[in-house]
Amino acid sequence: MSAQTAATTGTTAPSGSAGTGVAAEVELAIGGMTCASCAARIEKKLNRMDGVEATVNYATEKAKVSYRGEDVSVQDLIATVEKTGYTAHEPAPPVRGGDAPAGAAEADELRPLRQRLITAVLLAVPVIAMSMVPALQFDNWQWLSLTLTAPVVTYAAWPFHRAAWTNARHGAATMDTLISVGTSAAFLWSLWALFFGTAGMTGMTHPFELTIGRSDGSGNIYLEAAAGVTAFILAGRYFEARSKRKAGAALKALLELGAKEVTVLRDGREVTVATEDLRTGDRFLVRPGEKIATDGTVVEGSSAVDASMLTGESVPVEVTVGDTVTGATLNAGGRLVVEATRVGADTQLARMAKLVEDAQNGKAAAQRLADRISAVFVPVVIALALGTLGFWLGSGEGLTAAFTAAVAVLIIACPCALGLATPTALMVGTGRGAQLGILIKGPEVLETTRRVDTIVLDKTGTVTTGKMTLQTVHTADGTTETDVLRLAGALEHASEHPIAQAVATGATHRTGTPLPTPENFTNVPGLGVQGIVEGHAVLVGREQLLAEWEIHLPVELARRKAEAEAAGRTAIAVAWDGEARAVLEVADAVKDTSAEAIRRLRRLGLKPILLTGDNRAVAESVAAEVGIEEVYAEVMPQDKVDVVKRLQGEGRSVAMVGDGVNDAAALAQADLGLAMGTGTDAAIEAGDLTLVRGDLRAAADAIRLSRKTLGTIRTNLFWAFAYNVAALPLAAMGLLNPMIAGAAMAFSSVFVVGNSLRLRGFRAGV
């Protein structure tokens, strides 16, 4: 459809770009793809259009298209996809809050595949049993087998037939082609043998003989091959589809981070409204412990805001009148009144959701191994079958012998073990991973683990604990650590500030006794706290708080404070009865296992890089402690994505480990995303691997296990094809006994399962 036609039908490009020549972007939801080669075909067709640049992602089933509005319209793009044999439409915007309709749509999408799988398994099991066990072959068992197999080959296997037809129309061959041709050949030949040959006679059996010799094809049926292959491969497709459906969950998790309701100040009254109803300029109330509803400016009050999930900054940020705050961050201190400056799609949270989506769509979909092999294997097998048919017809052996040999080639080329090769290794590998606290999302993840050579690590919550803890206590002469902790801890315990709580918790643990109760407690905004503890007038906070009482740090404590701040730690001054008594160091502590984890990652051939939104002094201190040489600090979420892209542009294959919302887009952009299970849902959903334990050593174990699982899948695929390739010459020569075919399938399947079970012996930390 031309641009002029589009104009007459009322079709316009988004953002008012139609007819302007300005590049516009649209995202299309693609339906009907069954493998990565489908995505490649659609991408190729779209990119042939004038002024169009497209990337199609099989995993997310989306096409991101950039086009010039004067040359093409969205309808042109959709028409091109439909001509290629697939469906396309503009996706509905994500539903905020994870409402039920989104979940229902996901369930509806998987239900047809699940129904086909259940049908195939229930009907195929008795067919395989009767065909392979002579003792079960009662009179006319073959007709019951036909009755059970017919729904499997028609209804259950319909997606394979439909995909094969689409591929054939475009001159392509994938594993769907092989499955469709093989199962159809087996079923149709069995029909011919039952109705026109001798296989339908009462008392017919499949004797368990492994002899090689020419047989009368009219007495052979291959119903178990048709039913079994369909059931096995449907099982693999279903579990793959389940993991693939989670690709959009990162966006849902990001959107759910925001506050759902907000208290707005209107005409002097407090009114509770949905966050979506906020408008720029509205003033809203944020109480202690509540999430800030949207981006804005503080117009009343002061507090400490925990923004670690968005910025990676481990220390809560002190805000007061005039300071900006970000939606979805947590008010950890006092009461705030905020004026909304950005709402809806303009907020930082919404922009981060867009970053994640862009990164997911930009990531090249992994090409399945079986499809790569089938691109060559399928045309060769079909050519061999046609050549066999022509040879036997030309040699004068008769039509029955010719068709017997040709169909045998197609049947033996459709390996039962292929359906088991990937799912069994994945099932065992992912099961063992789950036992070790490693969750692998799907087969696309595994291939990447083999190539990664650089691993980018977030700091807060990944290398460090992500929680402020009391590190060191420096005391003045004549003052004991116990006295400092009791008095300072008692005062800090009465404060809601996260740093104060870190001091109070550390004091309780170190002294081993309950803290006394303070009197006349006062919170001095932005400076610290003061009060009476056990008869002492105590001050705890910034050095300025002590200065207001004309108390100054002695030289040694001042030096300790300067050293702590230079290393990126928070230094807290403590004074009582008119004298400075101590300096407390509070910091986000490095996990005990992080240094060992870095050593293990290096042994796997990976170069570690620290990437954090925290300040440089903190980042370099942590990096030095765990043995990392390359550091990127003070990096905002959008810049984290840019750092990953820059490393990829240098030719590196990048793995990323993170736990916060600020890491989600970078996790999606990286070739391999590893999310700490102790982190946010957004990070977990954006990652390819989830480390449940929150132990960085699990990252090394995850990469080793993934590589081992990939190796097992490769071995399985080799043998799944090898047995059948070895039997192809026998089939072409007309020497294929049906029991030989059954035995080859059974043996290759047993080998594949046994090889996969070896993954159960994988051990962590070896």
Side-chain angles (χ1 to χ4, degrees):
M1 184 166 66
S2 66
Q4 288 80 4
T5 308
T8 61
T9 57
T11 303
T12 58
S15 306
S17 62
T20 66
V22 178
E25 280 192 358
V26 67
E27 188 181 77
L28 300 176
I30 307 295
M33 294 191 293
T34 60
C35 62
S37 58
C38 297
R41 190 176 308 121
I42 297 169
E43 189 172 300
K44 186 176 179 181
K45 291 283 187 182
L46 287 172
N47 283 324
R48 283 180 178 173
M49 300 174 70
D50 290 339
V52 172
E53 291 183 12
T55 57
V56 181
N57 191 324
Y58 168 60
T60 59
E61 295 185 333
K62 290 180 181 177
K64 187 175 181 181
V65 188
S66 175
Y67 65 99
R68 290 197 302 272
E70 64 179 5
D71 296 326
V72 293
S73 70
V74 174
Q75 291 305 314
D76 293 333
L77 300 172
I78 292 174
T80 299
V81 174
E82 289 175 345
K83 286 177 187 175
T84 313
Y86 305 90
T87 63
H89 62 87
E90 291 187 71
V95 179
R96 186 181 178 91
D99 291 346
E106 179 177 322
D108 288 339
E109 207 167 338
L110 285 175
R111 187 177 295 125
L113 183 55
R114 183 168 57 250
Q115 289 173 340
R116 293 180 198 276
L117 171 61
I118 292 171
T119 301
V121 170
L122 291 178
L123 299 181
V125 168
V127 173
I128 295 170
M130 286 187 290
S131 300
M132 303 302 292
V133 182
L136 299 179
Q137 295 170 3
F138 53 86
D139 285 348
N140 296 316
W141 68 273
Q142 67 272 39
W143 294 102
L144 176 60
S145 290
L146 175 63
T147 304
L148 296 175
T149 303
V152 178
V153 174
T154 52
Y155 166 70
W158 175 245
F160 305 131
H161 303 318
R162 183 179 57 208
W165 172 244
T166 300
N167 292 330
R169 283 169 50 209
H170 296 90
T174 66
M175 194 50 59
D176 289 313
T177 307
L178 187 55
I179 296 164
S180 177
V181 170
T183 55
S184 299
F187 183 70
L188 293 174
W189 183 261
S190 299
L191 279 179
W192 185 89
L194 286 168
F195 285 99
F196 302 105
T198 60
M201 296 176 61
T202 302
M204 187 279 280
T205 61
H206 269 178
F208 199 81
E209 297 173 355
L210 300 181
T211 56
I212 294 178
R214 293 184 186 174
S215 60
D216 180 7
S218 63
N220 299 337
I221 60 173
Y222 299 94
L223 295 172
E224 78 283 359
V229 167
T230 301
F232 280 130
I233 296 178
L234 272 175
R237 290 283 172 90
Y238 174 72
F239 291 114
E240 181 183 5
R242 265 184 54 178
S243 66
K244 192 153 61 77
R245 283 296 154 267
K246 295 180 181 177
L251 303 178
K252 196 184 301 180
L254 272 171
L255 292 171
E256 286 176 349
L257 281 172
K260 306 298 184 293
E261 292 183 335
V262 57
T263 302
V264 182
L265 302 177
R266 288 180 179 163
D267 300 325
R269 295 186 301 111
E270 296 182 3
V271 182
T272 301
V273 301
T275 305
E276 291 89 340
D277 296 333
L278 267 180
R279 298 290 177 265
T280 302
D282 281 347
R283 293 193 173 192
F284 58 92
L285 177 65
V286 189
R287 298 180 179 89
E290 290 184 344
K291 288 181 179 177
I292 296 171
T294 193
D295 298 358
T297 303
V298 177
V299 293
E300 184 182 317
S302 62
S303 181
V305 173
D306 181 359
S308 58
M309 63 167 60
L310 283 174
T311 66
E313 179 70 44
S314 54
V315 180
V317 179
E318 301 284 350
V319 296
T320 187
V321 175
D323 291 336
T324 58
V325 290
T326 305
T329 55
L330 185 67
N331 178 16
R335 178 184 183 275
L336 295 175
V337 175
V338 179
E339 182 175 311
T341 56
R342 289 186 298 200
V343 296
D346 295 329
T347 64
Q348 184 170 342
L349 183 66
R351 292 204 304 271
M352 289 177 66
K354 186 70 169 63
L355 279 173
V356 173
E357 188 170 27
D358 289 346
Q360 285 184 337
N361 285 334
K363 185 191 295 185
Q367 180 85 17
R368 286 190 330 199
L369 291 172
D371 277 312
R372 290 221 297 271
I373 298 170
S374 66
V376 177
F377 186 68
V378 175
V380 168
V381 167
I382 293 174
L384 181 59
L386 292 174
T388 300
L389 178 66
F391 172 80
W392 285 104
L393 286 175
S395 65
E397 290 290 334
L399 190 62
T400 299
F403 270 99
T404 298
V407 171
V409 168
L410 292 176
I411 291 170
I412 197 62
C414 192
C416 181
L418 182 68
L420 291 169
T422 299
T424 54
L426 265 180
M427 184 173 64
V428 179
T430 54
R432 180 61 182 144
Q435 291 175 336
L436 300 172
I438 301 163
L439 302 182
I440 303 171
K441 280 200 175 174
E444 296 90 352
V445 174
L446 302 175
E447 217 174 343
T448 310
T449 62
R450 181 176 54 88
R451 299 192 302 267
V452 291
D453 52 33
T454 302
I455 186 160
V456 176
L457 306 167
D458 171 53
K459 180 189 73 68
T460 307
T462 302
V463 177
T464 65
T465 62
K467 295 179 180 178
M468 301 301 288
T469 56
L470 179 62
Q471 300 282 298
T472 311
V473 179
H474 303 289
T475 60
D477 292 339
T479 303
T480 66
E481 181 175 316
T482 302
D483 288 341
V484 171
L485 292 175
R486 277 182 58 76
L487 299 179
L491 208 55
E492 294 283 56
H493 185 65
S495 171
E496 296 175 335
H497 197 289
I499 293 178
Q501 288 299 307
V503 172
T505 302
T508 302
H509 289 165
R510 294 195 189 192
T511 61
T513 58
L515 298 173
T517 302
E519 300 172 13
N520 299 330
F521 172 83
T522 305
N523 179 29
V524 184
L527 293 180
V529 292
Q530 60 191 43
I532 308 297
V533 183
E534 295 183 336
H536 300 284
V538 184
L539 303 172
V540 182
R542 298 178 184 272
E543 191 174 358
Q544 296 96 301
L545 178 64
L546 275 64
E548 288 187 359
W549 291 81
E550 297 184 356
I551 300 172
H552 303 283
L553 291 176
V555 175
E556 180 62 20
L557 288 184
R559 184 176 67 82
R560 295 289 192 180
K561 175 179 176 292
E563 289 175 352
E565 290 174 343
R569 293 187 285 275
T570 300
I572 302 167
V574 181
W576 66 79
D577 297 341
E579 290 185 35
R581 308 282 182 160
V583 167
L584 311 179
E585 291 186 22
V586 175
D588 181 9
V590 174
K591 293 179 182 177
D592 296 337
T593 57
S594 292
E596 172 62 22
I598 299 302
R599 287 193 290 272
R600 290 186 187 178
L601 291 169
R602 287 188 188 278
R603 285 202 295 269
L604 289 171
L606 304 175
K607 178 179 180 180
I609 295 174
L610 191 67
L611 176 63
T612 178
D614 220 334
N615 70 68
R616 178 158 295 279
V618 173
E620 291 183 346
S621 173
V622 170
E625 189 171 342
V626 298
I628 297 176
E629 293 151 10
E630 192 170 343
V631 178
Y632 292 87
E634 300 173 6
V635 181
M636 296 305 291
Q638 58 269 30
D639 299 325
K640 285 193 173 188
V641 177
D642 293 337
V643 170
V644 172
K645 285 181 179 177
R646 185 159 67 247
L647 293 171
Q648 290 170 329
E650 294 171 1
R652 302 196 207 184
S653 184
V654 180
M656 167 82 187
V657 188
D659 77 321
V661 176
N662 59 311
D663 304 317
L667 285 167
Q669 174 63 39
D671 299 289
L672 179 69
L674 297 93
M676 304 297 280
T678 51
T680 61
D681 289 344
I684 291 169
E685 295 295 351
D688 301 308
L689 295 162
T690 300
L691 312 178
V692 177
R693 301 199 308 265
D695 183 344
L696 190 56
R697 290 178 301 182
D701 292 332
I703 291 173
R704 278 201 312 117
L705 176 60
S706 297
R707 288 177 176 178
K708 195 171 181 66
T709 304
L710 176 65
T712 301
I713 290 175
R714 287 174 174 272
T715 306
N716 286 351
L717 287 171
F718 171 78
W719 286 108
F721 280 103
Y723 286 113
N724 301 83
V725 170
L728 279 174
L730 295 177
M733 290 187 290
L735 300 175
L736 188 66
N737 178 290
M739 291 314 300
I740 294 269
M745 284 191 178
F747 185 62
S748 58
S749 299
V750 168
F751 177 88
V752 161
V753 172
N755 190 43
S756 298
L757 289 174
R758 292 170 56 236
L759 288 168
R760 292 170 63 183
F762 178 88
R763 288 186 296 159
V766 176

